[in-house]
Amino acid sequence: MSDSDELTPAKPVTSSATASLLGVFAHPDDESLLAGGVLAQHAAAHARTAVVTMTWAPESPRAPELADALRALSAGTPRMLGYGDARNPNAAPGRPRLVDAPLDEVIAALVHQIRTFRPDIVVTHDALGQLTGHADHRRTHQVALLAVQDAGLAHLHPEAGQPWQPRAVYCATHPASGVGELGPLLEAVGKPVLAVPDSYATTAIDVTLWLEQKWRAILAHRGEVARERALPGILARLPEETRRKIIATEFFTRLTTGPLPSARHRLTA
């Protein structure tokens, strides 16, 4: 990456420059950890924001935690598709795991959410499944890209509503140079660290102005905060200065075809 391509902190965006944003994430807490600052940023600029969560049932213990987190981020109420977590059989008893569910069925469910909310921007996981490569993250990435494509085509999933084409897709990611102190913390609890090359990340957003909201949202996932190996729990045990450094920047890759927009330090449609 050349000096001219370096990712630098973002400046606050105004309401006129901020597009509506739909987050599509695998589990409750992914939205807060990966894009909590961006969600709060867009909401503060009076943009419409919402989050679709692919796994865990609406009646599960994690649903009220998700509701509290979204409230902290001003991102609406939970939109839970209710599929099972690949690693937790208690996530959605009686429902297939996300990784086992028929692909077209899952795509259609997400198309309905996209056509209902009609976002300018969709934000989801990267192809690696974030740092730890979780199977649910990877499947969510695949489904999100296909659903964004299908949502704009009237002949596909006509039962899911009127067509709507988001103008941009961003994948939350971690470039190698941005992993920092988080890498050793994950390795210490036996988790892999799957960073992408720096050139893969197109946008870096300094979310310091919205850090308190982001942290409240992370803490709302109380069950994960209590777990030793879960990232919310790891972050909660850190000194505040270290934690703030880790979560103050959010990185994204813009996947939409065509030339990159001139604004490289905010999500644009």
Side-chain angles (χ1 to χ4, degrees), residues 5 8 23 49 52 58 69 72 77 87 94 138 146 178 194-195 205 207 216 246 251:
D5 290 334
T8 55
T49 60
V52 175
T77 57
R87 300 178 182 173
R138 295 197 303 271
L146 293 170
L194 306 178
I205 303 183
V207 298
R216 287 202 308 272
I246 289 173
F251 297 96

Side-chain angles (χ1 to χ4, degrees), residues 5 33 35-37 60 86 99 107 109 130 157 165 168 180 217-218 242 251 255 258:
D5 290 334
L33 292 165
S60 69
V99 295
I107 292 171
Q130 271 32 84
H157 315 289
Q165 185 63 70
I218 293 171
T242 303
F251 297 96
L255 291 189

Side-chain angles (χ1 to χ4, degrees), residues 57-73:
E59 62 273 13
S60 69
R62 296 190 69 177
E65 296 179 350
L66 176 61
D68 289 344
L70 296 183
R71 190 174 302 112
L73 299 173

Side-chain angles (χ1 to χ4, degrees), residues 76-93:
T77 57
R79 298 164 180 250
M80 304 179 76
L81 297 192
Y83 289 101
D85 186 315
R87 300 178 182 173
N88 193 325
N90 298 319

Side-chain angles (χ1 to χ4, degrees), residues 97-261:
R97 300 189 308 167
L98 175 65
V99 295
D100 299 328
L103 182 60
D104 200 55
E105 171 195 304
V106 184
I107 292 171
L110 184 53
V111 166
H112 173 72
Q113 294 291 336
I114 292 170
R115 289 177 177 173
T116 299
F117 187 73
R118 303 171 76 83
D120 296 312
I121 296 170
V122 170
V123 178
T124 190
H125 297 280
D126 68 6
L128 291 180
Q130 271 32 84
L131 289 171
T132 61
H134 197 297
D136 289 336
H137 293 179
R138 295 197 303 271
R139 175 51 63 94
T140 298
H141 168 84
Q142 296 164 353
V143 170
L145 297 191
L146 293 170
V148 166
Q149 175 179 275
D150 286 10
L153 300 174
H155 293 297
L156 296 177
H157 315 289
E159 74 289 348
Q162 294 298 310
W164 175 261
Q165 185 63 70
R167 291 185 288 175
V169 178
Y170 284 84
C171 296
T173 196
H174 292 85
S177 65
V179 173
E181 296 178 65
L182 184 56
L185 290 168
L186 292 173
E187 290 172 344
V189 295
K191 293 190 175 185
V193 179
L194 306 178
V196 301
D198 285 3
S199 59
Y200 188 80
T202 61
T203 311
I205 303 183
D206 182 344
V207 298
T208 301
L209 292 178
W210 303 276
L211 208 55
E212 297 307 315
Q213 284 175 264
K214 178 175 179 174
W215 183 233
R216 287 202 308 272
I218 293 171
L219 288 177
H221 294 284
R222 296 170 288 277
E224 296 300 284
V225 170
R227 295 179 57 217
E228 182 178 346
R229 297 181 71 250
L231 184 52
I234 293 172
L235 294 172
R237 296 192 299 273
L238 293 177
E240 181 179 359
E241 182 179 351
T242 303
R243 179 177 66 243
R244 290 175 66 90
K245 183 179 179 181
I246 289 173
I247 68 174
T249 305
E250 295 174 357
F251 297 96
F252 300 89
T253 298
R254 180 182 171 105
L255 291 189
T256 310
T257 57
L260 290 174

